[in-house]
Amino acid sequence: MNYEQKVLRDMEKWKLELSSKPNMFKRLSKNTQNKVNSFIPEKVHHFITESIKKMVQATLAGSNITTKKRDDIESLTLEEKEKLVLEKLDKFKRTAAAEGAGTGAGGILLGLADFPLLLSIKIKFLFEACSLYGFDPKKYEERLFLLYIFQLAFSSEEHRKEVLTIIENWENEVEDRKELDWRTLQQEYRDFLDLVKLFQMVPGFGAVVGAYANFNLLDQLGKTAMNCYRMRIMNKTRNSVVDPKS
């Protein structure tokens, strides 16, 4: 079995895991969160949405400056690219774990600081992955693609199905996806993290939870990003075989 065949097998296994039905605990948790959200005034939802939107946009802008498309990547095989991605992911996981331990040790106040810090680490990793797979992170459509990867990694099972379909057909979808649904992004992300971040705010105990949670959140993001870019590369290769002019 060559590397591309292994990638295809792993990618199909990952897609099956994404499409699996949520267990009873997750369904109850999501229903509870939806109920709570329905009681929150619309003005509050709007404020949270705009806050997260500005936070993400600021992080995107900062990462865009520090990450550039690498011309030397084009000559590498997929296996060589992914070796670089895994090395980069390992560094980001350790950074996220250290950040989570530090903010978790401080209780509620420092626990709140973890949100923007961890967000910046996640977005920065996505920019690095984009560059290492040979795409240009300065292009608007590539930054938009990063946010769909982000949603796929940190959303409910129901929303993931919709996002996965968009990512699987990205070349056909991109023209219709110029604007992002920020409300859905912030609500799915917030609901996904609620329980973990609640425990992280417990002084002392929060340091262990923060380190473990942040490490695994970056691991999940890394796995999602790799499979999303694999899909794009495989689709591009498949289309090139069908139409040699493309």
Side-chain angles (χ1 to χ4, degrees), residues 15-185:
K15 286 164 66 175
L16 284 174
E17 291 173 355
L18 280 184
S19 60
S20 62
K21 292 184 178 180
N23 58 38
M24 184 176 292
F25 174 77
K26 288 184 177 180
R27 288 198 301 271
L28 288 173
S29 177
K30 183 60 179 175
N31 288 337
T32 301
Q33 289 168 328
N34 287 339
K35 192 70 174 177
V36 170
N37 285 331
S38 69
F39 290 124
I40 298 175
E42 183 59 31
K43 287 184 178 180
V44 176
H45 276 300
H46 180 73
F47 175 77
I48 295 173
T49 297
E50 286 301 308
S51 297
I52 292 181
K53 178 180 177 180
K54 290 176 181 177
M55 192 185 304
V56 173
Q57 287 176 331
T59 305
L60 285 172
S63 297
N64 188 37
I65 294 171
T66 58
T67 309
K68 299 179 181 178
K69 184 178 186 295
R70 289 180 50 168
D71 296 328
D72 60 318
I73 290 295
E74 297 297 332
S75 61
L76 301 182
T77 64
L78 178 60
E79 184 174 7
E80 291 169 332
K81 291 176 183 177
E82 295 208 323
K83 182 180 179 182
L84 294 175
V85 173
L86 288 170
E87 289 174 355
K88 188 69 70 173
L89 177 60
D90 184 60
K91 293 179 181 178
F92 275 88
K93 286 195 292 186
R94 285 188 273 113
T95 299
E99 184 273 319
T103 54
I108 294 176
L109 292 179
L110 281 180
L112 292 173
D114 174 70
F115 187 89
L117 291 173
L118 180 60
L119 182 63
S120 66
I121 293 171
K122 290 172 180 173
I123 297 296
K124 177 60 178 172
F125 165 73
L126 288 175
F127 266 82
E128 293 289 346
C130 174
S131 179
L132 290 172
Y133 273 106
F135 297 92
D136 188 354
K138 287 193 173 184
K139 291 183 178 180
Y140 174 79
E141 58 267 28
E142 294 303 336
R143 297 199 299 274
L144 192 62
F145 186 72
L146 296 184
L147 293 178
Y148 277 104
I149 295 175
F150 187 88
Q151 287 188 78
L152 189 61
F154 307 119
S155 293
S156 63
E157 284 78 1
E158 292 80 6
H159 187 58
R160 283 177 187 169
K161 293 176 184 178
E162 178 185 340
V163 178
L164 180 60
T165 300
I166 293 170
I167 288 177
E168 283 182 304
N169 302 282
W170 181 251
E171 304 307 325
N172 297 322
E173 292 272 356
V174 63
E175 289 302 319
D176 299 323
R177 302 287 171 180
K178 293 300 184 182
E179 291 296 327
L180 192 72
D181 185 346
W182 290 98
R183 169 74 172 267
T184 300
L185 182 148

Side-chain angles (χ1 to χ4, degrees), residues 204-217:
F205 177 66
V208 178
V209 175
Y212 179 79
N214 285 8
F215 185 91
N216 282 282
L217 288 170

